[in-house]
Amino acid sequence: MSLYRAETRRLTKRRFTRLFLLGVTLILAAVAAGMVFTNQKVGPAQIASARAEAQQDFQRATEQFERDLADCKAAQGTPNADRWPPGCEGMSGPTQDNFQTQWYMPPTFDFRENFPDMVTTLAALLALVAFIVGASFVGAEWSSGGMMNLLLWRPQRLRVLGTKLAALLVFFTVLTVVFSALWTALFVGIAELRGSTDSMTSGAWQSIGLMELRGLALVVVAAALGFGLASLGRHTAMALGVTIGALIVFQFGLGTVLNLAKVKFADAYLIPVWMIAWMDKEIKIEDYNSCDYSSAGGCVPDSLTLTWPMAGAILAGVFVLIVVVSMWTMRSRDVT
Protein backbone atom coordinates (compact mmCIF):
# COMPACT_ATOMS: atom_id res chain seq x y z
CA MET A 1 0.00 0.00 0.00
CA SER A 2 1.34 3.45 -0.91
CA LEU A 3 2.07 6.03 1.76
CA TYR A 4 -0.64 8.35 0.45
CA ARG A 5 -3.30 5.64 0.54
CA ALA A 6 -2.21 4.63 4.01
CA GLU A 7 -2.47 8.21 5.30
CA THR A 8 -5.83 8.72 3.63
CA ARG A 9 -7.12 5.53 5.21
CA ARG A 10 -5.70 6.59 8.58
CA LEU A 11 -7.47 9.95 8.33
CA THR A 12 -10.85 8.62 7.25
CA LYS A 13 -10.88 5.73 9.74
CA ARG A 14 -10.18 7.89 12.79
CA ARG A 15 -13.13 8.12 15.17
CA PHE A 16 -12.19 11.74 15.84
CA THR A 17 -12.69 12.60 12.17
CA ARG A 18 -15.95 10.68 11.89
CA LEU A 19 -17.42 12.21 15.05
CA PHE A 20 -16.66 15.75 13.90
CA LEU A 21 -18.11 15.09 10.46
CA LEU A 22 -21.23 13.62 12.06
CA GLY A 23 -21.49 16.69 14.30
CA VAL A 24 -21.21 19.17 11.44
CA THR A 25 -23.73 17.16 9.42
CA LEU A 26 -26.24 17.33 12.26
CA ILE A 27 -25.68 21.08 12.66
CA LEU A 28 -26.20 21.66 8.94
CA ALA A 29 -29.33 19.51 9.01
CA ALA A 30 -30.66 21.61 11.89
CA VAL A 31 -29.98 24.81 9.93
CA ALA A 32 -31.79 23.46 6.88
CA ALA A 33 -34.72 22.29 9.00
CA GLY A 34 -34.92 25.73 10.60
CA MET A 35 -35.13 27.33 7.17
CA VAL A 36 -37.96 24.98 6.20
CA PHE A 37 -40.03 25.66 9.29
CA THR A 38 -39.45 29.43 9.47
CA ASN A 39 -40.21 30.24 5.83
CA GLN A 40 -43.18 29.74 3.59
CA LYS A 41 -44.02 30.13 -0.07
CA VAL A 42 -45.73 33.40 -0.91
CA GLY A 43 -48.79 33.33 -3.16
CA PRO A 44 -51.92 35.39 -3.78
CA ALA A 45 -53.42 34.34 -0.43
CA GLN A 46 -50.39 35.54 1.55
CA ILE A 47 -50.24 38.82 -0.39
CA ALA A 48 -53.95 39.46 0.21
CA SER A 49 -53.56 38.67 3.93
CA ALA A 50 -50.57 41.02 4.25
CA ARG A 51 -52.41 43.79 2.40
CA ALA A 52 -55.43 43.39 4.68
CA GLU A 53 -53.28 43.43 7.83
CA ALA A 54 -51.45 46.56 6.64
CA GLN A 55 -54.78 48.26 5.94
CA GLN A 56 -56.12 47.31 9.39
CA ASP A 57 -53.05 48.72 11.13
CA PHE A 58 -53.31 51.89 9.04
CA GLN A 59 -56.96 52.27 10.00
CA ARG A 60 -56.22 51.73 13.70
CA ALA A 61 -53.37 54.24 13.59
CA THR A 62 -55.61 56.78 11.83
CA GLU A 63 -58.35 56.37 14.43
CA GLN A 64 -55.81 56.70 17.26
CA PHE A 65 -54.44 59.88 15.71
CA GLU A 66 -57.91 61.37 15.42
CA ARG A 67 -58.53 60.61 19.12
CA ASP A 68 -55.19 62.13 20.10
CA LEU A 69 -55.85 65.23 18.00
CA ALA A 70 -59.28 65.64 19.59
CA ASP A 71 -57.81 65.24 23.09
CA CYS A 72 -55.12 67.80 22.25
CA LYS A 73 -57.64 70.37 21.09
CA ALA A 74 -59.82 69.74 24.12
CA ALA A 75 -56.84 70.19 26.45
CA GLN A 76 -55.91 73.63 25.12
CA GLY A 77 -56.32 76.27 27.87
CA THR A 78 -56.47 73.62 30.61
CA PRO A 79 -53.79 72.31 33.01
CA ASN A 80 -53.40 69.28 30.71
CA ALA A 81 -52.23 71.44 27.78
CA ASP A 82 -48.58 70.83 28.63
CA ARG A 83 -49.05 67.18 27.68
CA TRP A 84 -49.51 68.16 24.04
CA PRO A 85 -47.62 70.34 21.53
CA PRO A 86 -48.54 74.04 21.76
CA GLY A 87 -51.59 74.62 19.58
CA CYS A 88 -51.40 70.97 18.51
CA GLU A 89 -48.84 72.04 15.92
CA GLY A 90 -46.55 69.38 14.55
CA MET A 91 -49.01 66.53 15.03
CA SER A 92 -49.37 64.59 11.82
CA GLY A 93 -51.40 61.57 10.99
CA PRO A 94 -50.17 58.31 9.50
CA THR A 95 -49.99 57.79 5.75
CA GLN A 96 -50.39 54.66 3.70
CA ASP A 97 -46.64 54.68 3.02
CA ASN A 98 -46.10 53.99 6.72
CA PHE A 99 -47.87 50.63 6.34
CA GLN A 100 -46.51 49.02 3.21
CA THR A 101 -47.71 45.56 2.28
CA GLN A 102 -44.24 44.01 1.98
CA TRP A 103 -43.59 44.72 5.65
CA TYR A 104 -46.42 42.35 6.55
CA MET A 105 -45.37 39.52 4.26
CA PRO A 106 -44.40 36.21 5.90
CA PRO A 107 -40.70 35.21 5.73
CA THR A 108 -39.87 33.45 2.49
CA PHE A 109 -36.61 31.95 1.26
CA ASP A 110 -35.47 33.86 -1.79
CA PHE A 111 -32.58 31.75 -3.08
CA ARG A 112 -30.62 34.59 -4.67
CA GLU A 113 -30.90 36.84 -1.63
CA ASN A 114 -30.60 34.32 1.21
CA PHE A 115 -28.41 31.46 -0.04
CA PRO A 116 -25.08 33.37 0.12
CA ASP A 117 -25.47 33.44 3.91
CA MET A 118 -25.92 29.67 3.84
CA VAL A 119 -22.72 29.31 1.79
CA THR A 120 -20.84 31.31 4.41
CA THR A 121 -22.34 29.15 7.17
CA LEU A 122 -21.22 25.96 5.42
CA ALA A 123 -17.72 27.30 4.77
CA ALA A 124 -17.29 28.49 8.37
CA LEU A 125 -18.37 25.15 9.86
CA LEU A 126 -16.22 23.08 7.49
CA ALA A 127 -13.23 25.38 8.08
CA LEU A 128 -13.58 24.90 11.83
CA VAL A 129 -13.75 21.12 11.44
CA ALA A 130 -10.84 21.14 8.98
CA PHE A 131 -8.69 23.11 11.42
CA ILE A 132 -9.39 20.83 14.38
CA VAL A 133 -9.15 17.58 12.43
CA GLY A 134 -5.97 18.76 10.70
CA ALA A 135 -4.37 19.65 14.01
CA SER A 136 -5.38 16.35 15.58
CA PHE A 137 -4.31 14.32 12.55
CA VAL A 138 -0.63 15.20 12.90
CA GLY A 139 -0.64 16.23 16.56
CA ALA A 140 -1.81 12.80 17.71
CA GLU A 141 0.99 11.21 15.66
CA TRP A 142 3.61 13.26 17.46
CA SER A 143 2.24 12.91 20.98
CA SER A 144 1.66 9.14 20.69
CA GLY A 145 5.04 8.36 19.16
CA GLY A 146 3.45 7.22 15.91
CA MET A 147 5.48 9.70 13.87
CA MET A 148 8.77 8.23 15.09
CA ASN A 149 7.59 4.71 14.26
CA LEU A 150 6.46 5.81 10.82
CA LEU A 151 9.83 7.43 10.12
CA LEU A 152 11.53 4.13 10.94
CA TRP A 153 9.53 2.60 8.10
CA ARG A 154 9.81 5.61 5.80
CA PRO A 155 12.90 7.62 6.86
CA GLN A 156 12.05 10.51 4.53
CA ARG A 157 10.85 13.32 6.73
CA LEU A 158 9.61 15.81 4.17
CA ARG A 159 7.93 13.14 2.09
CA VAL A 160 6.13 11.74 5.13
CA LEU A 161 4.89 15.11 6.38
CA GLY A 162 4.06 16.31 2.86
CA THR A 163 2.06 13.15 2.14
CA LYS A 164 0.11 13.56 5.37
CA LEU A 165 -0.68 17.16 4.45
CA ALA A 166 -1.64 16.19 0.89
CA ALA A 167 -3.99 13.47 2.17
CA LEU A 168 -5.60 15.96 4.55
CA LEU A 169 -6.07 18.68 1.91
CA VAL A 170 -7.39 16.32 -0.75
CA PHE A 171 -9.83 14.81 1.75
CA PHE A 172 -11.26 18.17 2.76
CA THR A 173 -11.30 19.39 -0.82
CA VAL A 174 -13.44 16.43 -1.88
CA LEU A 175 -15.55 16.70 1.27
CA THR A 176 -16.21 20.41 0.72
CA VAL A 177 -17.12 19.92 -2.94
CA VAL A 178 -19.57 17.13 -2.03
CA PHE A 179 -21.08 19.08 0.86
CA SER A 180 -21.37 22.22 -1.27
CA ALA A 181 -23.18 20.34 -4.05
CA LEU A 182 -25.59 18.70 -1.60
CA TRP A 183 -26.06 21.99 0.28
CA THR A 184 -26.90 23.82 -2.94
CA ALA A 185 -29.33 21.14 -4.09
CA LEU A 186 -30.96 21.05 -0.66
CA PHE A 187 -31.59 24.78 -0.61
CA VAL A 188 -32.84 24.81 -4.18
CA GLY A 189 -35.46 22.38 -2.94
CA ILE A 190 -36.18 24.54 0.10
CA ALA A 191 -36.55 27.60 -2.13
CA GLU A 192 -38.95 25.73 -4.40
CA LEU A 193 -40.95 24.57 -1.38
CA ARG A 194 -40.72 27.60 0.90
CA GLY A 195 -39.63 30.46 -1.32
CA SER A 196 -38.55 31.19 -4.85
CA THR A 197 -35.72 30.68 -7.35
CA ASP A 198 -37.27 32.95 -9.98
CA SER A 199 -34.55 35.62 -9.67
CA MET A 200 -31.71 33.20 -10.44
CA THR A 201 -29.90 34.01 -13.69
CA SER A 202 -26.76 32.55 -15.22
CA GLY A 203 -24.78 35.39 -13.67
CA ALA A 204 -26.32 34.71 -10.26
CA TRP A 205 -25.40 31.02 -10.49
CA GLN A 206 -21.87 31.96 -11.49
CA SER A 207 -21.62 34.24 -8.46
CA ILE A 208 -22.82 31.42 -6.19
CA GLY A 209 -20.28 29.05 -7.72
CA LEU A 210 -17.41 31.49 -7.22
CA MET A 211 -18.49 32.07 -3.62
CA GLU A 212 -18.43 28.33 -2.99
CA LEU A 213 -14.93 28.17 -4.50
CA ARG A 214 -13.82 30.87 -2.06
CA GLY A 215 -15.38 28.82 0.72
CA LEU A 216 -13.37 25.82 -0.48
CA ALA A 217 -10.17 27.86 -0.33
CA LEU A 218 -11.02 28.92 3.23
CA VAL A 219 -11.49 25.30 4.28
CA VAL A 220 -8.19 24.23 2.70
CA VAL A 221 -6.27 27.06 4.38
CA ALA A 222 -7.88 26.25 7.75
CA ALA A 223 -6.87 22.58 7.41
CA ALA A 224 -3.29 23.53 6.52
CA LEU A 225 -3.13 26.04 9.37
CA GLY A 226 -4.25 23.49 11.97
CA PHE A 227 -1.90 20.88 10.54
CA GLY A 228 1.07 23.25 10.38
CA LEU A 229 0.67 24.65 13.88
CA ALA A 230 0.29 21.19 15.41
CA SER A 231 3.34 20.01 13.47
CA LEU A 232 5.38 22.96 14.71
CA GLY A 233 4.41 22.32 18.32
CA ARG A 234 4.30 18.53 17.83
CA HIS A 235 1.02 18.42 19.72
CA THR A 236 -2.62 19.13 18.95
CA ALA A 237 -2.79 21.54 21.89
CA MET A 238 -0.25 23.78 20.15
CA ALA A 239 -2.68 24.61 17.34
CA LEU A 240 -5.65 25.04 19.64
CA GLY A 241 -3.65 27.14 22.12
CA VAL A 242 -2.31 29.46 19.43
CA THR A 243 -5.82 29.91 18.04
CA ILE A 244 -7.35 30.70 21.41
CA GLY A 245 -4.50 33.07 22.17
CA ALA A 246 -4.92 34.81 18.82
CA LEU A 247 -8.63 35.24 19.44
CA ILE A 248 -8.06 36.71 22.89
CA VAL A 249 -5.13 38.93 21.93
CA PHE A 250 -6.14 40.06 18.46
CA GLN A 251 -9.91 40.04 18.64
CA PHE A 252 -10.51 41.35 22.12
CA GLY A 253 -7.25 42.88 23.34
CA LEU A 254 -6.05 44.46 20.12
CA GLY A 255 -9.54 45.55 19.12
CA THR A 256 -10.09 47.27 22.46
CA VAL A 257 -6.69 49.01 22.39
CA LEU A 258 -7.16 50.24 18.82
CA ASN A 259 -10.63 51.59 19.54
CA LEU A 260 -9.45 53.36 22.69
CA ALA A 261 -6.54 54.84 20.76
CA LYS A 262 -8.99 55.90 18.02
CA VAL A 263 -6.86 54.24 15.35
CA LYS A 264 -8.27 54.88 11.91
CA PHE A 265 -10.09 51.87 10.48
CA ALA A 266 -9.39 49.75 13.56
CA ASP A 267 -11.65 46.97 12.29
CA ALA A 268 -9.23 46.32 9.44
CA TYR A 269 -6.86 44.70 11.96
CA LEU A 270 -9.41 42.07 13.00
CA ILE A 271 -9.53 38.61 11.44
CA PRO A 272 -13.33 38.23 10.96
CA VAL A 273 -13.46 41.38 8.83
CA TRP A 274 -11.04 39.83 6.35
CA MET A 275 -13.04 36.59 6.32
CA ILE A 276 -16.17 38.57 5.46
CA ALA A 277 -14.29 40.44 2.72
CA TRP A 278 -13.16 37.10 1.30
CA MET A 279 -16.57 35.46 1.28
CA ASP A 280 -18.70 38.51 0.38
CA LYS A 281 -16.16 39.89 -2.15
CA GLU A 282 -15.81 43.16 -0.23
CA ILE A 283 -16.58 44.94 3.00
CA LYS A 284 -16.70 48.67 3.65
CA ILE A 285 -15.23 49.99 6.90
CA GLU A 286 -16.08 53.51 8.05
CA ASP A 287 -14.10 55.70 10.45
CA TYR A 288 -16.68 57.57 12.51
CA ASN A 289 -13.95 59.66 14.17
CA SER A 290 -13.35 61.49 10.89
CA CYS A 291 -15.42 63.73 8.67
CA ASP A 292 -15.06 64.06 4.92
CA TYR A 293 -17.19 67.17 4.40
CA SER A 294 -18.90 68.01 1.14
CA SER A 295 -21.54 70.61 0.40
CA ALA A 296 -23.74 67.99 -1.25
CA GLY A 297 -23.47 65.15 1.26
CA GLY A 298 -22.55 66.97 4.44
CA CYS A 299 -20.26 65.24 6.92
CA VAL A 300 -19.47 61.75 5.65
CA PRO A 301 -17.06 59.48 7.56
CA ASP A 302 -13.94 58.27 5.77
CA SER A 303 -14.27 54.74 4.43
CA LEU A 304 -11.97 51.88 3.48
CA THR A 305 -13.08 49.03 1.23
CA LEU A 306 -11.43 45.64 1.73
CA THR A 307 -11.79 43.39 -1.33
CA TRP A 308 -11.54 39.66 -1.85
CA PRO A 309 -8.20 39.85 -3.73
CA MET A 310 -6.70 41.61 -0.70
CA ALA A 311 -8.11 38.96 1.63
CA GLY A 312 -7.02 36.23 -0.78
CA ALA A 313 -3.45 37.48 -0.71
CA ILE A 314 -3.45 37.20 3.08
CA LEU A 315 -4.90 33.68 2.96
CA ALA A 316 -2.31 32.61 0.40
CA GLY A 317 0.47 34.14 2.49
CA VAL A 318 -0.70 32.32 5.62
CA PHE A 319 -0.94 29.04 3.72
CA VAL A 320 2.55 29.30 2.23
CA LEU A 321 4.13 30.53 5.47
CA ILE A 322 2.69 27.76 7.64
CA VAL A 323 3.47 24.99 5.16
CA VAL A 324 7.03 26.18 4.51
CA VAL A 325 7.86 26.70 8.18
CA SER A 326 6.40 23.35 9.23
CA MET A 327 8.41 21.59 6.50
CA TRP A 328 11.57 23.42 7.45
CA THR A 329 11.24 22.53 11.14
CA MET A 330 10.49 18.91 10.21
CA ARG A 331 13.76 18.78 8.30
CA SER A 332 15.93 20.63 10.81
CA ARG A 333 14.67 19.49 14.22
CA ASP A 334 15.41 16.18 15.91
CA VAL A 335 12.57 13.67 15.92
CA THR A 336 12.17 12.75 19.56
Side-chain angles (χ1 to χ4, degrees), residues 67-84:
R67 289 193 295 269
D68 290 342
L69 184 60
D71 292 342
C72 176
K73 291 179 178 179
Q76 298 303 307
T78 69
N80 293 329
D82 58 354
R83 297 173 52 190
W84 304 96

Side-chain angles (χ1 to χ4, degrees), residues 175-198:
L175 182 73
T176 303
V177 170
V178 172
F179 267 62
S180 296
L182 294 176
W183 195 239
T184 303
L186 177 61
F187 275 92
V188 167
I190 292 174
E192 293 289 348
L193 180 66
R194 297 289 188 174
S196 173
T197 59
D198 295 340

Side-chain angles (χ1 to χ4, degrees), residues 41-52:
K41 199 171 188 67
V42 172
Q46 288 76 19
I47 296 174
S49 176
R51 184 179 294 114

